[in-house]
Amino acid sequence: DGLKYVWIPPGSVTTGCSEADKECYEDEYPSRKVQLTRGFWLAQTEVTQAAFEKVMGYNHSVFEGATLPADSITWVEADVYCTAIGGRLPSAAEWEYAARAGTTGSRYGNLDDVAWYWDNAKFTTHPVGKKKPNAFGLYDMLGNVVEWTYTWYSVQLNQENINPTGPSTAEYKELRGGGWWDDADLVRASYRRRFEPTDQDYNIGFRCVAE
């Protein structure tokens, strides 16, 4: 798709509400250490509109711009896109591991330095890769657009300790990261959101795992 992918090595991460984080919601508990035994390639940025149109042949984003993240994307569309390039969506655990990049706080840096969100986005998405990256070299893991995962949403977090994938089926898919429309308390590594696979919102985009 013409995007750059970053190698994320195998390792462990404590998922869920970060220690001393007072903004957590009920479904961010219990925190649990999980092991990811396989590394993976993850898109360095959210899928841009140029990449989306190149692969899918159309672009229905509300905010128009080649380097802006594709927005208003359903889970079904994100899944089709990632499959088309020989990849897949990340699991929620993979996403959180990649977002934290070895950090243990609720965010991997000062929020205004790393994310576009309600206080600084000025009612729009922004070109990808303009904020500071995390330690893995990934941009916009927090803010800009909320990102789909392939994990089905469950109120109970972290029922598996090794390569967790979540429930086999459910009503909603899980999203991560917070977006341009969100207040600061939603733009955290452990914050979880749920939407039906066919839902659209101009705050929602995605990135892929390449294998």
Side-chain angles (χ1 to χ4, degrees):
D1 60 0
L3 299 177
K4 183 177 180 179
Y5 285 73
V6 175
W7 175 248
I8 309 299
S12 61
V13 61
T14 299
T15 60
C17 188
S18 305
E19 186 176 357
D21 186 352
K22 305 301 183 184
E23 298 177 305
C24 296
Y25 291 83
E26 185 176 354
D27 66 353
E28 296 175 51
Y29 297 96
S31 299
R32 178 178 294 178
K33 187 173 183 178
V34 300
Q35 185 76 26
L36 297 175
T37 63
R38 300 181 298 271
F40 53 95
W41 295 91
L42 184 64
Q44 187 175 41
T45 66
E46 294 155 337
V47 172
T48 63
Q49 291 178 36
F52 188 85
E53 189 166 358
K54 176 181 179 181
V55 173
M56 302 292 280
Y58 66 90
N59 175 25
H60 56 53
S61 297
V62 171
F63 304 106
E64 297 182 7
T67 61
L68 296 177
D71 69 68
S72 307
I73 306 299
T74 68
W75 182 91
V76 173
E77 289 176 308
D79 183 58
V80 168
Y81 176 101
C82 292
T83 300
I85 65 166
R88 59 173 174 79
L89 287 165
S91 70
E94 288 172 332
W95 187 96
E96 188 168 344
Y97 172 66
R100 289 184 178 277
T103 62
T104 57
S106 60
R107 304 173 180 96
Y108 53 81
N110 176 274
L111 190 55
D112 283 300
D113 291 338
V114 303
W116 298 108
Y117 68 110
W118 181 255
D119 287 0
N120 65 13
K122 298 182 180 179
F123 310 107
T124 184
T125 59
H126 291 264
V128 301
K130 297 301 183 182
K131 290 291 188 176
K132 291 182 179 179
N134 69 9
F136 282 145
L138 301 169
Y139 294 89
D140 301 314
M141 292 298 284
L142 298 178
N144 220 1
V145 287
V146 189
E147 299 180 17
W148 288 110
T149 72
Y150 78 67
T151 300
W152 289 104
Y153 175 85
S154 172
V155 173
Q156 185 177 358
L157 177 66
N158 296 335
Q159 299 177 54
E160 307 157 271
N161 293 320
I162 300 176
N163 301 323
T165 57
S168 59
T169 189
E171 183 178 0
Y172 304 105
K173 287 291 186 177
E174 186 168 322
L175 302 98
R176 293 298 195 102
W180 66 272
W181 181 256
D182 293 320
D183 289 328
D185 67 314
L186 307 185
V187 189
R188 296 177 294 107
S190 63
Y191 177 69
R192 307 168 67 212
R193 185 170 301 180
R194 64 186 187 273
F195 273 82
E196 292 183 3
T198 55
D199 284 345
Q200 282 181 305
D201 189 279
Y202 56 13
N203 199 31
I204 295 177
F206 69 107
R207 73 182 74 211
C208 302
V209 168
E211 294 183 306

